[in-house]
Amino acid sequence: MTKLIIANWKSNKTLAEVQPWVTDFKKELDLQLASVESALAAQAEVQVIISPGLLMLETLSRQLEGQRFPVDVALGIQDVSPFGAGAYTGAVSVQNLAGLAVEYTLVGHSERRRYFHETHQEVAQKVDQALQVGITPVVCVDEAYIDEQAAAISRDQLERCVVAYEPLAAIGTGQNADVGTVKGIVEHVKRVFGDVPVIYGGSVTEQNVLEYLLVAQGVLAGSASLDPAHFARLVAATVRPA
Ligand code: PGA
């Protein structure tokens, strides 16, 4: 099972910071994995997904192209419009993303729910939009609304999602969740969504990432993805358990 390691830059960084981030990320990752016997084996094992702000998407896409990373690196985004192309001022539709090689989108991140008042129904519409163009939705949930969120998504679409369990108390606080609790939630998500990949997010670091990979299929890292060398070490830890 491929492990998914997702970077969420949130509203951080500028265009000028993208190229140095990619260069430093690759340099540290190459260094960390230099002793891994088979780079090909590592590639099959881990998929890294970098989700920048929309303005940086094209630049990041160009920077990633033509680089030979020791693991698979794909492009993600942090949100999509619940509507398709049309008269929806300010919204970025999935059709707008054509040609950008976006493979994943976060939907329903708790910051979107909290600051932009997104509802379960809107999140479900975003799932539908993403799937229409072959982008995999990563549905972010806290335990309080897993069932309600799943109920809003059509049955045939549930099993095409990735689910990120992100307890509110753990996001950006340094208070990462107890691994035993995460294990229980992962099992619950699988009962509700089906046998989908479930990942964990909330104060993940290079030090604690391996614990979560014992119970989840990957992680979503916010703060720990901003520094390229730190993020590279986090990724390397998942390839080459210490
Ligand atoms: P954090 O953010 O790693 O900074 O806690 C995770 C997230 O919100 O996706």
Side-chain angles (χ1 to χ4, degrees):
M1 263 190 311
T2 306
K3 299 169 210 161
L4 303 174
I5 312 295
I6 306 184
N8 176 9
W9 288 358
K10 307 191 179 181
S11 298
N12 297 293
K13 300 203 181 290
T14 62
L15 276 175
E17 291 174 293
V18 174
Q19 191 254 322
W21 190 96
V22 173
T23 304
D24 292 350
F25 172 66
K26 182 171 184 320
K27 199 166 132 198
E28 183 69 19
L29 197 59
D30 284 343
L31 188 73
Q32 292 290 328
L33 297 180
S35 61
V36 171
E37 301 230 322
S38 164
L40 277 178
Q43 249 171 0
E45 229 181 287
V46 175
Q47 180 165 48
V48 174
I49 298 144
I50 306 170
S51 316
L54 280 169
L55 283 176
M56 282 155 275
L57 199 59
E58 193 185 353
T59 305
L60 180 62
S61 168
R62 269 192 275 108
Q63 290 293 328
L64 295 179
E65 265 173 35
Q67 300 263 13
R68 278 176 60 89
F69 290 101
V71 297
D72 188 18
V73 179
L75 204 56
I77 51 173
Q78 300 170 17
D79 187 36
V80 288
S81 172
F83 305 109
Y88 304 100
T89 301
V92 175
S93 69
V94 291
Q95 287 79 13
N96 293 149
L97 301 170
L100 282 168
V102 172
E103 294 183 44
Y104 293 84
T105 181
L106 304 181
V107 292
H109 190 282
S110 60
E111 288 151 13
R112 300 289 319 168
R113 296 176 192 262
R114 178 173 176 197
Y115 299 116
F116 302 91
H117 313 294
E118 276 181 16
T119 64
H120 302 320
Q121 192 50 48
E122 281 164 339
V123 173
Q125 279 174 248
K126 291 175 183 211
V127 167
D128 181 55
Q129 287 295 317
L131 289 173
Q132 280 184 34
V133 297
I135 293 176
T136 301
V138 179
V139 183
C140 303
V141 290
D142 192 2
E143 58 224 75
Y145 48 81
I146 293 169
D147 294 22
E148 279 170 81
Q149 181 57 80
I153 297 171
S154 73
R155 282 186 79 81
D156 61 314
Q157 294 185 336
L158 283 175
E159 61 189 28
R160 296 166 70 195
C161 296
V162 169
V163 176
Y165 167 51
E166 294 216 299
L168 274 184
I171 296 178
T173 58
Q175 309 287 312
N176 54 304
D178 167 71
V179 177
T181 307
V182 175
K183 183 171 187 280
I185 300 288
V186 169
E187 285 161 6
H188 180 73
V189 169
K190 283 179 184 282
R191 277 194 295 274
V192 178
F193 276 73
D195 192 18
V196 297
V198 186
I199 65 174
Y200 165 76
S203 299
V204 174
T205 64
E206 60 184 291
Q207 285 81 23
N208 65 29
V209 62
L210 278 181
E211 296 173 41
Y212 294 108
L213 292 183
L214 296 174
V215 297
Q217 204 177 318
V219 292
L220 177 45
S223 321
S225 71
L226 297 179
D227 178 83
H230 184 159
F231 187 61
R233 289 194 296 274
L234 188 158
V235 171
T238 71
V239 174
R240 185 208 50 200

